[in-house]
Amino acid sequence: MRHTMKVAAVVSVAALTLAACGDSGSDKPSSSGSSSSSSSSKKSDIKVGMAYDVGGRGDQSFNDSAAAGLDKAKSELGVQIKEAAAVNGENEAAREERLQQLIDAGYTHVVAVGFAYAASVGKAAKDNPDVHFAIVDDASPDSKGANVDQITFAENEGSFLVGAAAALKSKAGHIGFVGGVNVPLIKKFEAGYIAGAKAVNPNIKVDSQYLTQPPDFGGFGDPAKGKTAAEGMYQGGADIVYHAAGGSGGGVFTAAKAAGKLAIGVDSDQALTAPADVRPVIMTSMIKKVDVAVYDFIKSAADGKELTGNNVYDLKAGGVDYATTGGQVDDIKTKLDDYKQQIIDGKIKVPTTP
Amino acid sequence: MNRLSPRRIGLALAAPVLALLVAFVITSLVLTLFGDPVLEVWKTILHVPKPRQTVQIVNAATVFYLSAVAVAVGFRMNLFNIGVDGQYRVGVFAAAVFAGQAWLPGVFNVLVAIVVAMVAAGLWAGIAAYLKVRRGVSEVISTIMLNAIATGVVSWLFAKVAQRSEGSNITETKTIPESSQLEGLKLIPGATNRVFTLVVLAVIVGVLYWFVLGKTRFGFDLRATGRSETAAVASGVNVPRMVMTAMVASGALAGLVGMPQLFGQDHNYGTTIQSGLGFAGIGIALLGRNNPIGIAVASLLWAFLDIQSNALQIGVGVAQEIVFIIQGVILFAVVIAYELIRRTDIRLEQQRVARELAAQRHSTAATEGAPA
C-alpha cells in the first residue's frame, strides 16, 4: 500500500512535469507576458490583449508571427499590449476565462490566436459587445459576431508553392511532410504540399506523419518528436521535409542538419527566426502572414474602421507566400512565381484535404 | 487505539499543512531565483475569487473529484490504475457519440449516456484487469499502454464520426440535442456562469464510495485484499474476482469524469477537449489519502490553484505553469510528510506503551517489594 503510494506520487509528479514541458515558450517565466507598458512616443487609447495558442510567444513559428504583428502595432501605433498563452490540454472554461480577464483588465481589442478559441471568442463577443475581437484560423458560426474579425488563410495555396519547390529541388524524387497535430487545419497544409509536389513530378513519393492526435496538442511544441519523425523520413530516402508543426519544427531542422539534407519552414520566415546553426538547411518557408492580419486588425481600429466578418488572406491578398531568404530557391523562382500566378488567376485549384 | 484520538487527528492534519508550507517555500525560492515578483504571485493566487471564478473552481473540482475517486478505488486495493486518463477518454467519447444520436428524449438521453460511458470505460479497464488476473501482467504497465492505445482507438473512431462546421478548423462529434444539454445550477450568487448540474454526480459518487468501502462486506474484502493478499485469501476472499471487480469499478468511475463537462459545457466530443484529467486524479487521491472528504478538500485545492493561476500571466506577467511546480511540490512533500508522521506516530505509540509497561512494572514491583 505504502509502496503503491510512492510510485503514485512519482508518476503524478512526472505527469505534472511533462505538462509543464509540453508548452514551450511560456515556461521561461521571466520573459513571458512582461510587455505590458507602452514605451512608445505615440500614444493610442487602444489596448490590445493577445491570447496565444499553446506555445506562446517564442515558438519561432505560428505564435511568433502573431507576436510580430502585435509588436509592429505597438511601435508604430503606440497601442498598449498584454499577452497570455494557452496551457496544453486546458478546457473551454480556461480559454473563456483568459479572454474575460483581458477584458476585465480594460483591453478594448482582444486577439485570439488559434482555432481552439472559436467558441470562447463567440461567447465573449456576445457578452462584451463594446470590445472588439479578432480570431486567427476560424471562420465558423461559433465565433461569428458583429464585433469579430475572423482571420483565415489559404495555407493550402502557400503549401502548394513550397511543395512545388521541394519537388523541383529533390534529387531522390522522395520528400516528406511532418504535421504537428492531426487536425483539419494541418491537413490543409499537407494537401497543398502534396498537390504542389505532384504538379511538378506526378511520380514523386511523399511521406506524411503527424506527431500527436487530438486532444493531445503537444505535437505543436515537442522538438524531440519532430526530430524523430524527420530522422525516419531522411533515413527512408527523403531528401526534403516540410513541417507544419509549430515549435516541434526545431527538431525537424536539427534532423535535417544531422542528415545533411534540407527542410522547409512554416508560418514565419524560419531562415530568419530559427537558431543560427540550422538556418542553412532551411531551403524556404511557407509564410503565413499572421502578423499582417493582426496588424491590419489593430491598424483599422486605430483608423476608426473596425474589421469584422471573415477576412481571407490568400495568395491573391498576399496572406501566404514562400520565402526566398538564403537564396536557395532563386534558381527556381520563375517557375514558382508562374505557379503562383496560375493559382491567383484561378487556373490551378488547390485542394484543402489530402 | 481509538481512531479519533486528538493525537491522531493532529498528526493527520499535520501532513497536508506541512506539505503546503514546504510547497510555499520552495515555490517562493524558484520565483526569487528567476527574478519574478514573489509577493505579487502569491497575492494573485490567494486573492478571494470572484463569483465567476468560484463557479469555475467548483466545476473544476467536480471533475477532479470524480477522477480522484476512480483512482482511489484502485488504491484501496493496492491496484494502481494509471489508466484513468484513457478510460475517461473512451467513456466520454462513447457517451458523446451516443447522446449525439438523440435516440432518447431529454434527461433519459443523459442518464443512458452516463451508463454508456461507465460501461465503455469499465470494459476498457477490464482489459487491464483480465491481463492481471489471467496473465499476471502488472496493471501499472498495462494501463499505461492502454492509455496510448485509447488515444489511438478514439482518434481512429473519431475520424469516422467527426464532422466540422463550415469555416471551422475544429472537428467534433454530433452536438447533443438541446433538450439533453444541462444548463447548470445557480449556486453561487452574483455569477453569470453556472455550476455543472452533474456536480450531483460527484456527491452521489462520494457518498457511495464512503458507504460501499466503509460499511459493506464487499468494501471490507476490498480493503483487506489491499492490506494483505495472503490474509485475505486465508479468510476466504476470492482475490482474482476482487481484482477484476475493483479494476472495472475504477474504470466505470473514470467513465464519469467527462460527464459534467460533456453535458454542461462542451455538448460534444471535439479536438479541444480537456486532457490529462486522469493524472490529476492520481495526485488528488494521494493528497486526500483516499478518504471521501479528504479527496473533496484536495480537489477544491487543486481547482483553486488552477483557476487562480489564470490571472498570473495577465496580472503579474508570470507563466501560469508555476502552478505545476506548486502542485508537484505539494505531492512530493505530502508523501514524505505522511511517511515522517507515520514513523512519529509509531514512535509515540511505542513510547506510550513503554511508559505504561514501566509504570505497571513499577507498581507491581512496588506491591511485591512492600513489607508484609
Side-chain angles (χ1 to χ4, degrees):
Chain A
M1 182 77 172
R2 278 191 292 122
H3 177 69
T4 314
M5 289 310 190
K6 281 174 203 157
V7 178
V10 171
V11 169
S12 45
V13 170
L16 284 167
T17 317
L18 284 175
C21 294
D23 21 347
S24 62
S26 45
D27 58 357
K28 299 173 210 95
S30 52
S31 65
S32 78
S34 53
S35 39
S36 55
S37 66
S38 163
S39 56
S40 172
S41 51
K42 277 182 281 181
K43 269 275 174 199
S44 165
D45 50 1
I46 290 178
K47 295 173 77 179
V48 185
M50 186 98 147
Y52 291 108
D53 208 343
V54 173
R57 183 189 275 265
D59 73 343
Q60 295 169 358
S61 187
F62 180 57
N63 287 300
D64 263 2
S65 184
L70 186 67
D71 290 343
K72 189 175 170 205
K74 187 186 169 192
S75 63
E76 290 186 7
L77 308 170
V79 297
Q80 289 185 50
I81 64 169
K82 177 69 87 184
E83 298 165 294
V87 176
N88 192 17
E90 68 185 8
N91 65 14
E92 186 57 27
R95 288 184 281 270
E96 282 170 18
E97 178 66 11
R98 185 165 304 113
L99 302 180
Q100 194 56 49
Q101 293 242 357
L102 286 168
I103 295 162
D104 286 355
Y107 288 84
T108 55
H109 291 70
V110 174
V111 182
V113 185
F115 60 81
Y117 285 104
S120 39
V121 162
K123 189 166 178 296
K126 225 174 255 136
D127 293 347
N128 303 279
D130 298 336
V131 178
H132 295 273
F133 295 84
I135 178 159
V136 180
D137 281 348
D138 185 75
S140 68
D142 282 348
S143 66
K144 213 177 170 79
N147 50 343
V148 182
D149 173 18
Q150 297 178 314
I151 299 166
T152 53
F153 294 85
E155 294 92 351
N156 51 334
E157 295 181 358
S159 298
F160 183 99
L161 297 180
V162 295
L168 287 166
K169 283 282 182 182
S170 173
K171 294 185 186 81
H174 184 176
I175 56 177
F177 171 82
V178 174
V181 183
N182 192 356
V183 289
L185 175 66
I186 304 302
K187 288 197 165 159
K188 211 168 155 190
F189 287 79
E190 185 194 354
Y193 180 66
I194 294 174
K198 300 249 170 182
V200 171
N201 174 5
N203 299 319
I204 198 158
K205 191 175 168 212
V206 187
D207 296 333
S208 287
Q209 192 179 334
Y210 287 86
L211 300 180
T212 60
Q213 303 288 334
D216 180 2
F217 279 74
F220 286 134
D222 192 339
K225 280 203 178 81
K227 183 163 178 261
T228 313
E231 270 170 356
M233 290 177 182
Y234 290 129
Q235 279 162 14
D239 54 1
I240 299 171
V241 173
Y242 172 41
H243 87 85
S248 306
V252 174
F253 300 147
T254 319
K257 190 173 178 237
K261 306 272 173 72
L262 292 172
I264 299 176
V266 80
D267 294 344
S268 300
D269 183 354
Q270 294 202 285
L272 294 173
T273 60
D277 63 317
V278 296
R279 283 179 198 174
V281 304
I282 304 173
M283 183 179 95
T284 177
S285 296
M286 196 293 277
I287 314 177
K288 175 172 166 179
K289 296 183 180 164
V290 182
D291 54 339
V292 172
V294 168
Y295 181 76
D296 280 356
F297 169 68
I298 304 170
K299 179 81 170 70
S300 298
D303 294 344
K305 299 182 299 239
E306 303 287 354
L307 286 182
T308 65
N310 182 15
N311 290 296
V312 182
Y313 290 79
D314 55 9
L315 259 185
K316 199 172 181 177
V320 289
D321 208 345
Y322 67 96
T324 54
T325 309
Q328 296 194 51
V329 290
D330 285 355
D331 52 333
I332 54 172
K333 198 168 178 307
T334 42
K335 282 184 185 152
L336 294 179
D337 286 341
D338 183 40
Y339 279 121
K340 191 174 174 177
Q341 199 52 49
Q342 290 190 51
I343 295 171
I344 291 173
D345 295 344
K347 281 182 199 145
I348 296 178
K349 279 260 179 263
V350 186
T352 54
T353 47
Chain B
M1 184 74 202
N2 186 356
R3 280 182 61 201
L4 288 177
S5 78
R7 196 188 83 206
R8 272 286 162 87
I9 292 175
L11 286 174
L13 285 180
V17 171
L18 204 69
L20 286 178
L21 274 178
V22 171
F24 181 80
V25 171
I26 292 186
T27 311
S28 301
L29 282 177
V30 172
L31 287 169
T32 320
L33 213 65
F34 284 96
D36 283 324
V38 184
L39 210 67
E40 288 294 309
V41 168
W42 288 118
K43 246 196 229 159
T44 308
I45 292 181
L46 299 176
H47 79 265
V48 180
K50 294 178 185 159
R52 177 184 88 220
Q53 290 156 346
T54 312
V55 170
Q56 290 172 359
I57 291 171
V58 174
N59 283 347
T62 303
V63 176
F64 285 153
Y65 188 75
L66 290 169
S67 171
V69 170
V71 175
V73 168
F75 274 165
R76 291 302 283 269
M77 220 186 103
N78 222 359
L79 272 179
F80 190 9
N81 181 6
I82 307 187
V84 170
D85 210 57
Q87 291 145 18
Y88 142 70
R89 266 178 280 143
V90 169
V92 72
F93 176 71
V97 171
F98 175 84
Q101 302 302 320
W103 282 323
L104 296 165
V107 182
F108 291 108
N109 199 14
V110 178
L111 293 176
V112 177
I114 289 174
V115 174
V116 166
M118 292 182 77
V119 170
L123 284 176
W124 192 255
I127 301 173
Y130 176 84
L131 287 173
K132 183 168 175 83
V133 171
R134 288 299 157 98
R135 291 277 171 269
V137 180
S138 160
E139 79 283 3
V140 175
I141 307 297
S142 61
T143 50
I144 290 181
M145 297 299 183
L146 282 166
N147 276 346
I149 298 172
T151 309
V153 169
V154 171
S155 304
W156 177 69
L157 290 172
F158 179 63
K160 296 198 174 297
V161 298
Q163 50 186 29
R164 141 184 199 210
S165 51
E166 185 61 35
S168 171
N169 278 309
I170 295 170
T171 46
E172 50 204 16
T173 59
K174 213 182 262 178
T175 301
I176 56 180
E178 221 154 285
S179 63
S180 302
Q181 297 178 4
L182 302 173
E183 205 180 0
L185 310 169
K186 279 191 170 169
L187 288 184
I188 313 287
T192 48
N193 49 356
R194 297 184 178 192
V195 173
F196 291 147
T197 312
L198 291 180
V199 70
V200 180
L201 206 58
V203 175
I204 296 173
V205 164
V207 171
L208 277 180
Y209 173 75
W210 165 79
F211 181 78
V212 172
L213 263 82
K215 305 286 167 195
T216 64
R217 163 77 199 273
F218 170 77
F220 177 79
D221 285 354
L222 191 142
R223 283 181 290 129
T225 317
R227 294 248 165 146
S228 166
E229 209 175 296
T230 44
V233 171
S235 60
V237 175
N238 181 345
V239 171
R241 183 188 289 167
M242 285 308 292
V243 169
M244 200 77 192
T245 322
M247 198 69 192
V248 171
S250 176
L253 287 171
L256 295 178
V257 172
M259 297 302 103
Q261 288 188 346
L262 176 64
F263 290 104
Q265 175 182 289
D266 297 332
H267 307 311
N268 55 37
Y269 179 98
T271 40
T272 51
I273 201 141
Q274 187 171 12
S275 65
L277 284 171
F279 294 107
I282 297 173
I284 293 162
L286 263 181
L287 190 60
R289 299 207 77 181
N290 302 328
N291 174 299
I293 304 290
I295 295 175
V297 175
S299 303
L300 282 168
L301 173 70
W302 231 240
F304 177 82
L305 288 172
D306 265 7
I307 303 298
Q308 297 291 82
S309 69
N310 282 332
L312 279 179
Q313 289 189 72
I314 293 159
V316 195
V318 172
Q320 69 195 77
E321 279 82 357
I322 192 80
V323 158
F324 293 142
I325 300 182
I326 304 178
Q327 292 174 337
V329 175
I330 290 178
L331 279 184
F332 256 132
V334 87
V335 171
I336 296 166
Y338 281 145
E339 181 66 20
L340 283 178
I341 277 160
R342 196 185 62 87
R343 288 182 192 170
T344 315
D345 193 37
I346 290 173
R347 203 169 53 240
L348 287 177
E349 182 74 14
Q350 282 168 345
Q351 280 171 2
R352 188 182 64 85
V353 172
R355 213 167 35 238
E356 279 173 9
L357 282 176
Q360 229 170 33
R361 199 175 304 140
H362 188 75
S363 63
T364 44
T367 31
E368 273 169 9

PDB file of all heavy atoms in Angstrom, chain B residues 350-369:
ATOM      1  N   GLN B 350       4.970   3.628  20.650  1.00  0.00           N
ATOM      2  CA  GLN B 350       5.920   2.781  21.369  1.00  0.00           C
ATOM      3  C   GLN B 350       6.257   3.388  22.729  1.00  0.00           C
ATOM      4  O   GLN B 350       6.291   2.687  23.744  1.00  0.00           O
ATOM      5  CB  GLN B 350       7.206   2.604  20.550  1.00  0.00           C
ATOM      6  CG  GLN B 350       7.049   1.597  19.431  1.00  0.00           C
ATOM      7  CD  GLN B 350       8.213   1.646  18.462  1.00  0.00           C
ATOM      8  OE1 GLN B 350       8.987   2.591  18.452  1.00  0.00           O
ATOM      9  NE2 GLN B 350       8.338   0.618  17.648  1.00  0.00           N
ATOM     10  N   GLN B 351       6.463   4.698  22.730  1.00  0.00           N
ATOM     11  CA  GLN B 351       6.798   5.370  23.984  1.00  0.00           C
ATOM     12  C   GLN B 351       5.671   5.234  24.995  1.00  0.00           C
ATOM     13  O   GLN B 351       5.896   4.973  26.173  1.00  0.00           O
ATOM     14  CB  GLN B 351       7.086   6.851  23.724  1.00  0.00           C
ATOM     15  CG  GLN B 351       8.489   7.087  23.175  1.00  0.00           C
ATOM     16  CD  GLN B 351       8.681   8.514  22.720  1.00  0.00           C
ATOM     17  OE1 GLN B 351       7.774   9.340  22.847  1.00  0.00           O
ATOM     18  NE2 GLN B 351       9.856   8.802  22.192  1.00  0.00           N
ATOM     19  N   ARG B 352       4.438   5.390  24.473  1.00  0.00           N
ATOM     20  CA  ARG B 352       3.280   5.309  25.361  1.00  0.00           C
ATOM     21  C   ARG B 352       3.195   3.922  25.991  1.00  0.00           C
ATOM     22  O   ARG B 352       3.058   3.779  27.207  1.00  0.00           O
ATOM     23  CB  ARG B 352       2.003   5.602  24.572  1.00  0.00           C
ATOM     24  CG  ARG B 352       0.740   5.727  25.442  1.00  0.00           C
ATOM     25  CD  ARG B 352      -0.482   5.967  24.587  1.00  0.00           C
ATOM     26  NE  ARG B 352      -0.752   4.820  23.710  1.00  0.00           N
ATOM     27  CZ  ARG B 352      -1.459   3.745  24.094  1.00  0.00           C
ATOM     28  NH1 ARG B 352      -1.945   3.674  25.312  1.00  0.00           N
ATOM     29  NH2 ARG B 352      -1.661   2.741  23.272  1.00  0.00           N
ATOM     30  N   VAL B 353       3.347   2.909  25.111  1.00  0.00           N
ATOM     31  CA  VAL B 353       3.249   1.539  25.605  1.00  0.00           C
ATOM     32  C   VAL B 353       4.375   1.275  26.608  1.00  0.00           C
ATOM     33  O   VAL B 353       4.153   0.700  27.680  1.00  0.00           O
ATOM     34  CB  VAL B 353       3.324   0.535  24.431  1.00  0.00           C
ATOM     35  CG1 VAL B 353       3.427  -0.890  24.946  1.00  0.00           C
ATOM     36  CG2 VAL B 353       2.105   0.704  23.545  1.00  0.00           C
ATOM     37  N   ALA B 354       5.589   1.739  26.246  1.00  0.00           N
ATOM     38  CA  ALA B 354       6.733   1.521  27.123  1.00  0.00           C
ATOM     39  C   ALA B 354       6.494   2.174  28.480  1.00  0.00           C
ATOM     40  O   ALA B 354       6.768   1.592  29.530  1.00  0.00           O
ATOM     41  CB  ALA B 354       7.996   2.092  26.485  1.00  0.00           C
ATOM     42  N   ARG B 355       5.927   3.401  28.421  1.00  0.00           N
ATOM     43  CA  ARG B 355       5.681   4.126  29.651  1.00  0.00           C
ATOM     44  C   ARG B 355       4.672   3.380  30.516  1.00  0.00           C
ATOM     45  O   ARG B 355       4.871   3.172  31.711  1.00  0.00           O
ATOM     46  CB  ARG B 355       5.144   5.516  29.309  1.00  0.00           C
ATOM     47  CG  ARG B 355       5.581   6.576  30.298  1.00  0.00           C
ATOM     48  CD  ARG B 355       5.299   7.984  29.773  1.00  0.00           C
ATOM     49  NE  ARG B 355       4.098   8.093  28.994  1.00  0.00           N
ATOM     50  CZ  ARG B 355       4.067   8.526  27.725  1.00  0.00           C
ATOM     51  NH1 ARG B 355       5.180   8.868  27.109  1.00  0.00           N
ATOM     52  NH2 ARG B 355       2.930   8.612  27.081  1.00  0.00           N
ATOM     53  N   GLU B 356       3.608   2.900  29.862  1.00  0.00           N
ATOM     54  CA  GLU B 356       2.572   2.197  30.620  1.00  0.00           C
ATOM     55  C   GLU B 356       3.114   0.911  31.224  1.00  0.00           C
ATOM     56  O   GLU B 356       2.818   0.567  32.370  1.00  0.00           O
ATOM     57  CB  GLU B 356       1.371   1.897  29.720  1.00  0.00           C
ATOM     58  CG  GLU B 356       0.465   3.113  29.571  1.00  0.00           C
ATOM     59  CD  GLU B 356      -0.633   2.886  28.554  1.00  0.00           C
ATOM     60  OE1 GLU B 356      -0.793   1.742  28.092  1.00  0.00           O
ATOM     61  OE2 GLU B 356      -1.316   3.881  28.214  1.00  0.00           O
ATOM     62  N   LEU B 357       3.933   0.216  30.390  1.00  0.00           N
ATOM     63  CA  LEU B 357       4.514  -1.028  30.894  1.00  0.00           C
ATOM     64  C   LEU B 357       5.413  -0.749  32.090  1.00  0.00           C
ATOM     65  O   LEU B 357       5.367  -1.466  33.095  1.00  0.00           O
ATOM     66  CB  LEU B 357       5.320  -1.721  29.785  1.00  0.00           C
ATOM     67  CG  LEU B 357       4.489  -2.468  28.743  1.00  0.00           C
ATOM     68  CD1 LEU B 357       5.379  -3.032  27.662  1.00  0.00           C
ATOM     69  CD2 LEU B 357       3.660  -3.568  29.390  1.00  0.00           C
ATOM     70  N   ALA B 358       6.215   0.325  31.931  1.00  0.00           N
ATOM     71  CA  ALA B 358       7.146   0.663  33.003  1.00  0.00           C
ATOM     72  C   ALA B 358       6.376   0.984  34.288  1.00  0.00           C
ATOM     73  O   ALA B 358       6.727   0.515  35.373  1.00  0.00           O
ATOM     74  CB  ALA B 358       8.020   1.842  32.590  1.00  0.00           C
ATOM     75  N   ALA B 359       5.303   1.752  34.091  1.00  0.00           N
ATOM     76  CA  ALA B 359       4.504   2.135  35.250  1.00  0.00           C
ATOM     77  C   ALA B 359       3.911   0.903  35.915  1.00  0.00           C
ATOM     78  O   ALA B 359       3.915   0.770  37.147  1.00  0.00           O
ATOM     79  CB  ALA B 359       3.395   3.094  34.809  1.00  0.00           C
ATOM     80  N   GLN B 360       3.447  -0.025  35.015  1.00  0.00           N
ATOM     81  CA  GLN B 360       2.847  -1.257  35.529  1.00  0.00           C
ATOM     82  C   GLN B 360       3.873  -2.045  36.354  1.00  0.00           C
ATOM     83  O   GLN B 360       3.621  -2.436  37.480  1.00  0.00           O
ATOM     84  CB  GLN B 360       2.421  -2.109  34.343  1.00  0.00           C
ATOM     85  CG  GLN B 360       1.000  -2.615  34.455  1.00  0.00           C
ATOM     86  CD  GLN B 360       0.551  -3.243  33.160  1.00  0.00           C
ATOM     87  OE1 GLN B 360       1.370  -3.835  32.453  1.00  0.00           O
ATOM     88  NE2 GLN B 360      -0.715  -3.123  32.851  1.00  0.00           N
ATOM     89  N   ARG B 361       5.083  -2.212  35.692  1.00  0.00           N
ATOM     90  CA  ARG B 361       6.134  -2.973  36.344  1.00  0.00           C
ATOM     91  C   ARG B 361       6.491  -2.313  37.680  1.00  0.00           C
ATOM     92  O   ARG B 361       6.647  -2.956  38.698  1.00  0.00           O
ATOM     93  CB  ARG B 361       7.368  -3.047  35.436  1.00  0.00           C
ATOM     94  CG  ARG B 361       8.296  -4.183  35.840  1.00  0.00           C
ATOM     95  CD  ARG B 361       9.439  -4.312  34.867  1.00  0.00           C
ATOM     96  NE  ARG B 361       8.964  -4.491  33.503  1.00  0.00           N
ATOM     97  CZ  ARG B 361       9.528  -3.901  32.454  1.00  0.00           C
ATOM     98  NH1 ARG B 361      10.545  -3.088  32.594  1.00  0.00           N
ATOM     99  NH2 ARG B 361       9.074  -4.130  31.241  1.00  0.00           N
ATOM    100  N   HIS B 362       6.568  -0.970  37.621  1.00  0.00           N
ATOM    101  CA  HIS B 362       6.935  -0.224  38.816  1.00  0.00           C
ATOM    102  C   HIS B 362       5.933  -0.483  39.938  1.00  0.00           C
ATOM    103  O   HIS B 362       6.302  -0.780  41.068  1.00  0.00           O
ATOM    104  CB  HIS B 362       6.976   1.273  38.473  1.00  0.00           C
ATOM    105  CG  HIS B 362       7.535   2.108  39.580  1.00  0.00           C
ATOM    106  ND1 HIS B 362       8.893   2.140  39.849  1.00  0.00           N
ATOM    107  CD2 HIS B 362       6.945   2.913  40.492  1.00  0.00           C
ATOM    108  CE1 HIS B 362       9.100   2.937  40.879  1.00  0.00           C
ATOM    109  NE2 HIS B 362       7.924   3.421  41.290  1.00  0.00           N
ATOM    110  N   SER B 363       4.644  -0.404  39.529  1.00  0.00           N
ATOM    111  CA  SER B 363       3.624  -0.558  40.565  1.00  0.00           C
ATOM    112  C   SER B 363       3.601  -1.985  41.103  1.00  0.00           C
ATOM    113  O   SER B 363       3.466  -2.190  42.310  1.00  0.00           O
ATOM    114  CB  SER B 363       2.244  -0.159  40.026  1.00  0.00           C
ATOM    115  OG  SER B 363       1.892  -1.028  38.987  1.00  0.00           O
ATOM    116  N   THR B 364       3.771  -2.979  40.172  1.00  0.00           N
ATOM    117  CA  THR B 364       3.793  -4.366  40.678  1.00  0.00           C
ATOM    118  C   THR B 364       5.021  -4.572  41.550  1.00  0.00           C
ATOM    119  O   THR B 364       4.956  -5.228  42.593  1.00  0.00           O
ATOM    120  CB  THR B 364       3.794  -5.402  39.538  1.00  0.00           C
ATOM    121  OG1 THR B 364       4.716  -4.982  38.554  1.00  0.00           O
ATOM    122  CG2 THR B 364       2.415  -5.589  38.955  1.00  0.00           C
ATOM    123  N   ALA B 365       6.152  -3.993  41.077  1.00  0.00           N
ATOM    124  CA  ALA B 365       7.375  -4.131  41.869  1.00  0.00           C
ATOM    125  C   ALA B 365       7.165  -3.523  43.254  1.00  0.00           C
ATOM    126  O   ALA B 365       7.593  -4.071  44.262  1.00  0.00           O
ATOM    127  CB  ALA B 365       8.547  -3.440  41.162  1.00  0.00           C
ATOM    128  N   ALA B 366       6.468  -2.386  43.233  1.00  0.00           N
ATOM    129  CA  ALA B 366       6.249  -1.709  44.499  1.00  0.00           C
ATOM    130  C   ALA B 366       5.413  -2.565  45.450  1.00  0.00           C
ATOM    131  O   ALA B 366       5.728  -2.686  46.635  1.00  0.00           O
ATOM    132  CB  ALA B 366       5.559  -0.366  44.248  1.00  0.00           C
ATOM    133  N   THR B 367       4.333  -3.191  44.865  1.00  0.00           N
ATOM    134  CA  THR B 367       3.498  -4.014  45.742  1.00  0.00           C
ATOM    135  C   THR B 367       4.259  -5.236  46.243  1.00  0.00           C
ATOM    136  O   THR B 367       4.135  -5.634  47.396  1.00  0.00           O
ATOM    137  CB  THR B 367       2.226  -4.488  45.021  1.00  0.00           C
ATOM    138  OG1 THR B 367       2.501  -4.629  43.647  1.00  0.00           O
ATOM    139  CG2 THR B 367       1.076  -3.515  45.234  1.00  0.00           C
ATOM    140  N   GLU B 368       5.076  -5.807  45.225  1.00  0.00           N
ATOM    141  CA  GLU B 368       5.799  -7.017  45.639  1.00  0.00           C
ATOM    142  C   GLU B 368       6.817  -6.709  46.752  1.00  0.00           C
ATOM    143  O   GLU B 368       7.028  -7.504  47.664  1.00  0.00           O
ATOM    144  CB  GLU B 368       6.543  -7.627  44.445  1.00  0.00           C
ATOM    145  CG  GLU B 368       5.652  -8.574  43.647  1.00  0.00           C
ATOM    146  CD  GLU B 368       6.279  -8.969  42.333  1.00  0.00           C
ATOM    147  OE1 GLU B 368       7.466  -8.650  42.127  1.00  0.00           O
ATOM    148  OE2 GLU B 368       5.575  -9.571  41.510  1.00  0.00           O
ATOM    149  N   GLY B 369       7.442  -5.524  46.533  1.00  0.00           N
ATOM    150  CA  GLY B 369       8.542  -5.200  47.445  1.00  0.00           C
ATOM    151  C   GLY B 369       8.069  -4.672  48.811  1.00  0.00           C
ATOM    152  O   GLY B 369       8.862  -4.486  49.725  1.00  0.00           O
TER     153      GLY B 369
END
